[in-house]
């Protein structure tokens, strides 16, 4: 009868969830609110309406729903998408979480909470609801506004913060004391596990999906992916982490595959089904009598959450260089809490770190922030104007000075040759180190599986240990050899720069850095290898064997590592459009030549439209070449000098970055100011006037629309705002400009304003170009 009872419970959950979801959607609320209310109604804590009484079965349904929910979240957040969000967004997200943690710790110190409880409460408030934020942005038509795009980027990355926090909090218990002493070790282990699982997944999952795709059977593909999903979640649990981490990582891996769309469609039904089960299960665990008792806490913590999240995210965005008004506007959008709040609250209560009443508190605070966010953002502009008026003048001056300093620092850092040469090696070293660390740290789990296999009966325990560690040593030998080669390359780069800049002896510096790298590698390996697993003389014998393998098969190791790297790169390249695949392949083969390939589209009303390649003197004036021209779907390879160029032509240019950038500026010059006819791609953005020789010139002298196609519609100078400024209005360093244009035009404006040499901005375009 247990099976029949389970079917009965599942039928009740789905029917009540569907009815409540339809009702909430009709009155304009999120369906998640309906699922929670439905769970409260049918749960075991609300007699006489209790229709589901088995708590253990409820928790099982909740765990299964969590797996599919996290897979869907990971499927929408690929590794490539994370990379495109940029370092500034990543840093702002991390800083926002850090500030939120510290503000909650201050609150916990005032209220006398223990550190472990404070950490759980901080995690409840760290992550916003991406679904609610996306809906608010769409309703208020902020999708093209910089604040809306910034908020979307932050809320996407906050899902990663939530997964990290779930993993860290999974190791806490009620008697964990301070609970924070092991966080660095947990983060190191988590990073190693993530890199290990992602690298293995990127190697095997694409091959599995390609094999399933050749059979042309979507049903089998769905079944296999579901099995791999549950297996990945189980591996994460066996490694000491949560189900959510394994499911999320598989979603992020599949998001890089060409089969992503097909898998997303096949799993959309299961995602909706089990997501509703998850949220209803969350509601069933809420005790209504506790909810009635804690409503003052819900109001107080809801107000704290709204204020703390606005301060944390707003200040974090300002610190990474986002314009002040944009940062504050985005912070108002990042106030609602989402599904991770329920998951973390459930984890805290189950581990007895949080008291039972914190579960309804978390749900109440989340619902309160979801309801308040649309109201708050409808009155955002008057609220921000009031804040700017009440803000002390010295605060604005300090922030303006900081942004100017940050812009100069970024320009300085972008010109550092040593960083451009060494960042690839540094990234590869970090990934290889984490991969090896993961292999060694979780080797005991692998060894226990081997000891339970039939192979254990054929060998003695000592022989089995020797064989296992020898095979594992051979497996990590390839990435270890790659780490050493990258260290030697870094040593050569630093030595050459030291000799060129300071005339220091390069050979001594290079050998010293190699010796230092060898010592660091030895210390690192000695700290992660379980020396107690074997006698010291056996470890020495294994090390000697591995050293001989390196000496004899060094070229083979280089080949195997290159093959491994190319197989991982192919995963990312296969999911890109053909033109981007070609750009990546070009970059790979031309990296050592310091030339690159870039794609340029000639804009409408371009001044060069109708001119031939010979008239423009592209090779003699700019030093680069056009090797491909695409027009209306037809491609011309190596076009002749007599070929004319027209608006809409797509050009592939070959040359150095500086050469291509100068030609791009020339091709983008327009004939008249009314060039921006496509209003669908136009956007408003605030930019900061940098320290430039153009500072002090008036708008009429600068001819910004003629040079870039951008229209300056507002100037914010020390809190004084000028709407639609006249041509006589000068621009000064530190002015915040409100500009209207496409993303490409605004990017060109930023480059043009920061130029310290070139065409005199006071000369009209028609006079400054000689074709």
């Amino acid at each position: 009868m247990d099976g029949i009872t389970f079917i009965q419970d599942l039928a009740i959950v789905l029917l009540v969830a569907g009815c409540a979801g339809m009702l909430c959607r009709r009155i304009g609320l999120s369906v998640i609110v309906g699922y929670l209310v439905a769970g409260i109604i049918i749960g075991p804590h609300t007699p006489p309406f209790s229709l589901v009484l088995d708590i253990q079965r409820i928790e099982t349904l909740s765990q299964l729903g969590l797996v599919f929910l996290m897979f869907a979240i990971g499927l929408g957040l690929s590794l490539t998408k994370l990379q495109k969000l940029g370092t500034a967004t990543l840093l702002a997200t991390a800083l926002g979480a850090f500030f939120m943690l510290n503000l909650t710790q201050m609150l916990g110190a005032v209220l006398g909470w223990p550190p472990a409880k404070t950490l759980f409460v901080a995690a409840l408030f760290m992550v916003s609801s991406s679904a609610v934020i996306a809906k608010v942005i769409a309703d208020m038509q902020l999708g093209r506004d910089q604040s809306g795009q910034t908020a979307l980027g932050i809320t996407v990355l906050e899902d990663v913060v939530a997964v990290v926090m779930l993993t860290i909090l999974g190791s806490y218990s009620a008697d964990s004391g301070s609970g924070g002493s092991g966080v660095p070790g947990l983060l190191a282990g988590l990073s190693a596990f993530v890199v290990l699982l992602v690298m293995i997944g990127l190697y095997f999952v694409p091959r599995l999906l390609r094999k399933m795709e050749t059979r042309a059977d979507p049903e089998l593909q769905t079944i296999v992916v579901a099995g791999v999903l549950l297996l990945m979640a189980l591996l994460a649990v066996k490694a000491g982490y949560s189900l959510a981490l394994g499911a999320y990582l598989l979603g992020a891996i599949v998001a890089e595959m060409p089969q992503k769309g097909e898998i997303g469609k096949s799993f959309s039904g299961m995602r909706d089904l089990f997501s509703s089960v998850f949220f209803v299960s969350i509601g069933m665990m809420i005790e209504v009598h506790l909810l009635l008792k804690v409503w003052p806490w819900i109001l107080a913590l809801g107000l704290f959450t709204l204020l703390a999240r606005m301060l944390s995210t707003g200040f974090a965005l300002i610190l990474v260089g986002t314009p002040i008004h944009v940062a504050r506007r985005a912070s108002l959008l990042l106030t609602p809490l989402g599904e991770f709040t329920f998951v973390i609250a459930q984890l805290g209560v189950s581990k007895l770190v949080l008291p039972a009443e914190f579960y309804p508190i978390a749900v109440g605070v989340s619902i309160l922030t979801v309801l308040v966010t649309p109201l708050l953002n409808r009155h955002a502009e008057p609220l921000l104007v009031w804040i700017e008026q009440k803000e002390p003048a010295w605060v604005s001056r300090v922030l303006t000075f900081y942004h100017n300093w940050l812009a100069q620092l970024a320009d300085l850092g972008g010109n550092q040759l040593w960083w451009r040469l060494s960042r690839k090696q540094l990234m590869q070293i970090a990934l290889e180190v984490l991969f090896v660390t993961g292999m060694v740290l979780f080797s005991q789990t692998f060894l226990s599986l081997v000891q339970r296999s039939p192979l254990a009966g054929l060998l003695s325990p000592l022989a089995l240990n020797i064989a296992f560690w020898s095979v594992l040593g051979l497996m990590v030998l390839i990435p270890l050899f790659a780490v050493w080669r990258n260290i030697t390359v870094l040593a050569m780069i630093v030595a050459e720069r030291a000799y060129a800049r300071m005339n220091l002896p390069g050979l001594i510096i290079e050998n010293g850095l190699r010796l230092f790298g060898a010592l660091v590698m030895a210390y690192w390996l000695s700290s992660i290898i379980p020396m107690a697993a074997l006698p010291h003389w056996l470890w020495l014998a294994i090390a000697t064997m591995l050293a001989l393998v390196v000496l004899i098969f060094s070229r083979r190791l280089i080949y195997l590592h290159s093959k491994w790297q190319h197989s991982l790169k192919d995963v990312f390249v296969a999911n890109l459009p053909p033109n981007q695949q070609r750009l990546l392949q070009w970059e790979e083969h031309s990296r050592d030549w310091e030339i690159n390939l870039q794609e340029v589209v000639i804009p409408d009303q371009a001044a060069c439209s109708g001119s031939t390649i010979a008239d423009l003197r592209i090779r003699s004036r700019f030093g680069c070449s056009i090797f491909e021209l695409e027009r209306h779907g037809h491609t011309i390879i190596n076009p002749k000098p007599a070929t004319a160029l027209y608006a809409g032509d797509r050009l592939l240019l070959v040359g150095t970055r500086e050469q291509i950038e100068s030609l791009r500026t020339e091709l983008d010059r327009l004939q008249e100011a009314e060039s921006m006819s496509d209003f669908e791609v136009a956007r408003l953005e605030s930019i900061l006037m940098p320290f430039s020789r153009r500072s002090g010139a008036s708008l009429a002298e600068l001819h910004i629309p003629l040079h870039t196609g951008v229209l300056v519609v507002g100037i914010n100078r020390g809190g004084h705002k000028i709407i639609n400024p006249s041509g006589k209005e000068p621009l000064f360093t530190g002015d915040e400009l409100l500009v209207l244009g496409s993303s490409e035009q605004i990017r060109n404006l930023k480059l043009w304003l920061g130029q310290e040499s070139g065409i005199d901005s006071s000369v009209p375009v028609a006079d400054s170009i000689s074709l």
Side-chain angles (χ1 to χ4, degrees):
M1 292 297 294
D2 286 342
I4 299 299
T5 306
F6 177 78
I7 293 174
Q8 173 185 305
D9 291 346
L10 187 59
I12 292 171
V13 166
L14 294 177
L15 287 174
V16 176
C19 294
M22 286 189 293
L23 180 61
C24 284
R25 186 160 285 175
R26 176 165 295 183
I27 63 178
L29 291 177
S30 170
V31 293
I32 295 177
V33 177
Y35 296 154
L36 293 172
V37 173
I40 294 174
I41 294 174
I42 67 174
H45 304 295
T46 54
F49 305 104
S50 301
L51 301 177
V52 180
L53 300 175
D54 193 330
I55 299 295
Q56 186 175 2
R57 188 174 290 124
I58 294 171
E59 292 179 351
T60 302
L61 287 173
S62 176
Q63 292 294 323
L64 189 59
L66 178 63
V67 169
F68 283 94
L69 178 64
M70 295 304 300
F71 176 72
I73 292 175
L75 199 62
L77 185 60
S78 65
L79 303 176
T80 305
K81 187 175 181 180
L82 284 176
Q83 185 179 7
K84 288 181 179 179
L85 288 175
T87 305
T89 307
L90 179 63
L91 186 59
T93 306
L95 286 173
F98 175 75
F99 294 147
M100 194 70 207
L101 173 63
N102 282 270
L103 289 174
T104 311
Q105 285 178 334
M106 294 178 188
L107 177 66
V110 172
L111 298 176
W113 290 343
K117 179 179 178 180
T118 303
L119 184 61
F120 268 86
V121 176
L124 294 177
F125 304 149
M126 275 185 187
V127 185
S128 58
S129 172
S130 54
V132 174
I133 292 172
K135 187 177 186 306
V136 171
I137 290 175
D139 291 344
M140 301 189 67
Q141 299 180 352
L142 296 174
R144 297 186 181 275
D145 189 80
Q146 188 182 4
S147 61
Q149 295 174 353
T150 302
L152 284 175
I154 294 290
T155 191
V156 164
L157 287 175
E158 282 184 336
D159 289 344
V160 181
V161 174
V163 175
V164 174
M165 291 305 299
L166 276 173
T167 305
I168 294 175
L169 297 176
S171 65
Y172 278 73
S173 60
D175 57 350
S176 59
S178 65
S181 58
V183 170
L186 284 171
L187 288 176
L190 171 64
S191 302
F193 177 75
V194 168
V195 171
L196 173 65
L197 206 61
V198 168
M199 283 193 172
I200 294 176
L202 286 174
Y203 187 80
F204 288 106
V205 172
R207 288 161 173 77
L208 177 64
L209 293 180
R210 281 197 294 267
K211 184 168 291 187
M212 299 304 300
E213 194 175 36
T214 56
R215 298 180 182 274
D217 194 338
E219 179 183 353
L220 290 178
Q221 179 174 270
T222 303
I223 293 172
V224 170
V225 172
V228 174
L229 170 61
L230 297 177
L231 179 62
M232 288 276 280
L234 183 62
L235 284 176
V237 173
K238 293 292 185 182
Y241 302 113
S242 65
L243 287 168
L245 178 63
Y248 177 84
L249 289 178
L250 180 63
I253 292 170
V254 173
E256 297 294 343
M257 310 295 123
Q259 300 87 358
K260 171 191 173 182
E262 184 179 346
I263 292 175
K265 291 179 182 178
S266 62
F267 273 84
S268 61
M270 280 192 289
R271 176 199 63 204
D272 296 337
L273 173 68
F274 286 103
S275 296
S276 65
V277 170
F278 169 74
F279 289 114
V280 173
S281 301
I282 292 291
M284 284 191 284
M285 297 178 192
I286 299 175
E287 300 183 39
V288 178
H289 68 277
L290 290 179
L291 188 61
L292 297 176
K293 290 180 181 179
V294 298
W295 67 265
W297 278 102
I298 293 175
L299 292 178
L301 290 178
L303 180 61
F304 168 79
T305 302
L306 292 170
L307 293 176
R309 282 197 59 81
M310 285 189 287
L311 290 173
S312 300
T313 55
F315 189 54
L317 287 168
I318 291 173
L319 285 181
V320 299
T322 306
I324 301 171
H325 187 82
V326 173
R328 289 170 174 166
R329 183 69 184 86
S331 69
L332 293 178
L333 292 166
L334 290 166
T335 50
L337 303 181
E339 54 273 10
F340 282 108
T341 300
F342 313 139
V343 179
I344 295 171
Q346 180 187 26
L347 178 65
V349 173
S350 65
K351 287 184 169 291
L352 304 178
V353 178
L354 296 178
E357 59 266 20
F358 252 92
Y359 199 83
I361 288 176
V363 175
V365 170
S366 176
I367 295 176
L368 179 63
T369 57
V370 168
L371 295 176
V372 169
T373 296
L375 299 175
L376 193 64
N377 281 275
R378 288 193 187 100
H379 303 89
E381 289 303 325
L383 178 61
L384 293 177
V385 170
W386 180 82
I387 292 174
E388 292 172 357
Q389 290 175 348
K390 298 298 181 182
E391 187 176 61
W394 66 267
V395 175
S396 300
R397 289 195 297 268
V398 169
L399 293 178
T400 301
F401 173 79
Y402 171 76
H403 277 187
N404 288 334
W405 173 78
L406 205 63
Q408 295 175 16
L409 190 65
D411 292 339
L412 180 64
N415 295 324
Q416 295 294 331
L417 179 61
W418 69 271
W419 170 247
R420 296 203 302 270
L421 294 174
S422 61
R423 60 185 175 186
K424 178 186 175 183
Q425 278 70 33
L426 290 172
M427 180 61 70
Q428 288 182 352
I429 289 174
L431 292 176
E432 303 285 1
V433 165
L434 288 173
F435 178 77
V436 174
T437 302
M439 290 287 289
V440 177
L441 288 182
F442 301 102
S443 58
Q444 295 297 332
T445 303
F446 303 144
L447 180 58
S448 63
L449 294 176
V450 174
Q451 289 172 342
R452 291 196 296 267
S453 67
L455 184 63
L458 303 176
L459 299 173
S460 66
L462 179 61
L464 186 64
N465 277 349
I466 294 174
F468 174 80
W469 289 108
S470 299
V471 171
L472 186 66
L474 290 173
M475 292 177 63
V476 301
L477 191 60
I478 296 175
L480 281 177
F481 188 62
V483 170
W484 174 247
R485 291 184 66 233
N486 281 313
I487 288 176
T488 57
V489 172
L490 277 178
M492 291 174 57
I493 292 173
V494 174
E496 289 179 2
R497 298 300 298 167
Y499 179 77
R501 298 288 295 273
M502 295 173 283
N503 201 23
L504 297 176
L507 186 61
I508 296 177
I509 293 177
E510 181 179 347
N511 291 331
L513 290 175
R514 286 183 178 180
L515 177 61
F516 177 74
L519 293 175
V520 172
M521 284 187 67
Y523 174 78
W524 161 56
L525 292 174
S526 64
S527 63
I528 63 173
I529 293 176
M531 301 301 294
L534 290 175
H536 291 292
W537 66 271
L538 282 177
W539 284 118
L540 182 61
I542 293 175
T544 303
M545 178 198 68
L546 296 178
L548 290 175
V549 171
V550 171
L551 290 174
I552 298 173
F553 300 103
S554 59
R555 292 183 178 274
R556 184 67 177 175
L557 292 175
I558 295 173
Y559 169 75
L560 291 175
H561 182 260
S562 299
K563 188 175 180 181
W564 166 271
Q565 281 188 319
H566 282 293
S567 66
L568 294 181
K569 289 179 181 178
D570 290 343
V571 172
F572 297 97
V573 173
N575 203 23
L576 295 174
N579 60 332
Q580 294 188 27
Q581 292 184 26
R582 179 169 50 179
L583 291 175
L584 286 178
Q585 292 170 355
W586 174 276
E587 182 180 356
E588 177 69 22
H589 291 292
S590 64
R591 183 179 291 112
D592 295 334
W593 294 88
E594 295 188 0
I595 61 173
N596 65 358
L597 176 146
Q598 291 187 25
E599 192 175 88
V600 176
V601 178
I602 299 179
D604 294 336
Q605 300 181 5
C608 65
S609 182
S611 302
T612 65
I613 297 176
D615 293 335
L616 294 172
R617 295 182 289 131
I618 290 176
R619 188 65 178 269
S620 60
R621 290 178 61 195
F622 303 100
C624 54
S625 302
I626 302 174
F627 89 91
E628 184 176 298
L629 184 152
E630 181 182 338
R631 181 183 298 157
H632 304 305
H634 300 283
T635 302
I636 304 174
I637 305 296
N638 292 326
K640 297 179 180 179
T643 303
L645 303 180
Y646 298 98
D649 286 352
R650 189 180 302 272
L651 311 178
L652 284 178
L653 307 175
V654 184
T656 65
R657 295 184 184 276
E658 294 76 12
Q659 292 169 345
I660 294 177
E661 194 57 44
S662 61
L663 177 57
R664 181 194 296 272
T665 303
E666 181 73 15
L667 296 175
D668 284 347
R669 295 188 184 279
L670 308 177
Q671 293 178 341
E672 53 187 28
E674 296 82 14
S675 60
M676 217 172 49
S677 59
D678 188 2
F679 287 99
E680 291 187 357
V681 298
R683 55 181 287 180
L684 275 174
E685 185 171 334
S686 296
I687 66 173
L688 205 64
M689 181 69 181
F691 180 80
S692 169
R693 69 183 182 88
R694 307 184 193 278
S695 179
S698 67
L699 289 172
E701 294 171 337
L702 290 174
H703 294 284
I704 290 178
L706 296 180
H707 285 286
T708 65
V710 173
L711 184 64
V712 179
V713 296
I715 302 174
N716 184 359
R717 182 176 300 137
H720 176 62
K721 295 180 179 178
I722 306 171
I723 306 299
N724 291 325
S726 65
K728 297 179 180 180
E729 191 65 41
L731 297 184
F732 300 104
T733 300
D735 284 353
E736 185 179 344
L737 310 181
L738 183 65
V739 297
L740 177 66
S742 67
S743 299
E744 182 71 16
Q745 291 170 336
I746 294 175
R747 186 184 68 83
N748 290 334
L749 172 64
K750 293 177 182 178
L751 293 173
W752 184 76
L753 287 175
Q755 290 176 350
E756 292 297 327
S757 61
I759 300 171
D760 189 345
S761 59
S762 63
V763 181
V765 177
D767 297 334
S768 62
I769 300 178
S770 175
L771 299 179

